[in-house]
Structure formats: C-alpha cells, structure tokens
Amino acid sequence: MTKDNSPLNEEENKLTELPMLDEDWLALTEDWQAQPYEKTDIQALLKQTRRRTLWAKAILILDCVATLGLIIALCIGLYQADWDNATLMYVAFGSLLSTVFVYYEIKIRHHPWKHSCDSPDKAIINAVAGCQSSIKYIKLIKLSCYFMLPAINCYIYVMRHGTEKPLWPAFLIINLFVFTLWIVAHLFHLKRSNELKQLKGLLSK
C-alpha cells in the first residue's frame, strides 16, 4: 500500500510534529494573565476621584464662606456709613464678583457630583467627568483674574493717590499675587488637560 503524499497530509504531519509548550511557559503565561493590574488601576482611579471630589467640596465651602464674608462686610460698611466711597465700591464689586463666581462654580460641580458613584464599571467615566469639571473650574479662576486685576489696581490708585507713599510697592505686590495665581491655575490647566486626554484614550479602548 503506497503512502499518501498529498499536501494536506503533509501539513497534518507537520502540525502533529510541533513540540508541546513547555509547562513552565504555560505557568508563566497564566500567572501574567492573572495579574490584577487593571483592578489595581481602577481602585487607584476611584480613590483619586474621591479625594479630588472632597477637595473640590472643601474649596466650594471656603468660596461660599468668603463670599458671605464680603456680603456681611458690605452690609456693615453701608450700615455704619463711615466707609469711604472707594472701599464701599470695591467691596460691593468683590461681593458681586464672588457671588457670580460661586454660582458658576456650583453649576460646574453639580453635574459630576450628582452622577458620581463608586462603581468600578464607571470609574473611568466618572474620572473623565471630574477632570472636565476641574478644567472648567480652573478656567473660571483664570477668567476671574482678568476682572480682579483692574479692580484692585484702581482701588490702590484711588486710595494711595495724593499720599506721600510711593504707589509702586503696592502695585507690584498685588499684581505679582494675581499673576502667580494665574500661572498656578494655568499649570493645573495643562496637567488636567493631559490627564483628560489619557482618560479619553482609555475609554476608546
């Protein structure tokens, strides 16, 4: 009886001649697949989101307290009627600006906090929402700097105009403070934007 040398039989013979995978390699592969990298990352992401949410709530409370303090100061100034007009106008402007700031801050934070949960399945989605909220808040801070700068400079000019003390130290200090605040906010803006890009990349996988 002649041996069948058809191409199909030759391929079958080659497959049967392949060596079995080494048991150590199989064990190593199974061990690598069982590594809880994804679970660890998800838990770390959930922890980071919770921590940032707590910080954001604490900042919101401080902003509300500061706004309330400005409003109370304005009421005291109007009631006592012995404050100069420049100070009254500045405190009134600060109260208005702070109230508007807090209003938009609450609007920015409300949506992600309302839908926030500790479910691992929504960890990345919640992290994206929190990061977007953080970026909007940072933009609000940067925008408020543009309003604060001329208002504070005008107040210093009015209060110090006509006095013997030089104006430049006060202008330098206050402008440096606002500029530093803007720079810090901008650095956080860049950092959060990079994080958002990475998180969206995880969602697309």
Side-chain angles (χ1 to χ4, degrees), residues 6-178:
S6 65
L8 181 60
N9 285 336
E10 289 180 2
E11 291 297 327
E12 290 178 353
N13 291 335
K14 289 179 181 179
L15 289 175
T16 55
E17 291 173 0
L18 287 173
M20 297 295 292
L21 288 174
D22 186 80
E23 292 183 1
D24 292 337
W25 174 254
L26 282 174
L28 181 63
T29 303
E30 292 174 357
D31 181 66
W32 176 80
Q33 292 175 345
Q35 291 296 322
Y37 291 128
E38 184 176 353
K39 293 181 181 178
T40 303
D41 290 340
I42 291 297
Q43 292 301 322
L45 192 60
L46 287 170
K47 185 177 180 180
Q48 182 188 67
T49 302
R50 285 194 297 267
R51 185 176 66 251
R52 288 183 176 177
T53 300
L54 290 174
W55 272 108
K57 289 180 178 180
I59 292 172
L60 177 58
I61 292 173
L62 290 176
D63 289 339
C64 290
V65 171
T67 301
L68 185 60
L70 284 172
I71 294 173
I72 292 174
L74 178 61
C75 293
I76 292 173
L78 292 172
Y79 177 76
Q80 290 181 348
D82 58 352
W83 289 17
D84 57 88
N85 291 333
T87 301
L88 281 174
M89 290 180 63
Y90 179 74
V91 174
F93 177 80
S95 301
L96 178 61
L97 181 63
S98 186
T99 301
V100 173
F101 182 91
V102 169
Y103 169 76
Y104 281 104
E105 182 180 1
I106 292 172
K107 284 191 66 176
I108 289 170
R109 298 299 193 182
H110 174 70
H111 181 75
W113 290 351
K114 182 179 179 182
H115 298 87
S116 179
C117 64
D118 290 335
S119 173
D121 296 334
K122 295 184 178 181
I124 300 177
I125 295 175
N126 290 333
V128 168
C131 200
Q132 289 173 335
S133 172
S134 180
I135 290 174
K136 290 179 181 178
Y137 176 71
I138 292 169
K139 287 181 177 180
L140 186 63
I141 292 176
K142 292 169 72 176
L143 181 63
S144 67
C145 289
Y146 300 131
F147 288 95
M148 284 193 302
L149 202 59
I152 297 175
N153 280 289
C154 287
Y155 177 71
I156 292 174
Y157 178 79
V158 171
M159 293 300 294
R160 296 231 175 184
H161 183 66
T163 63
E164 296 181 355
K165 295 181 179 180
L167 294 175
W168 69 265
F171 280 124
L172 179 63
I173 292 172
I174 200 62
N175 284 277
L176 184 60
F177 171 77
V178 176

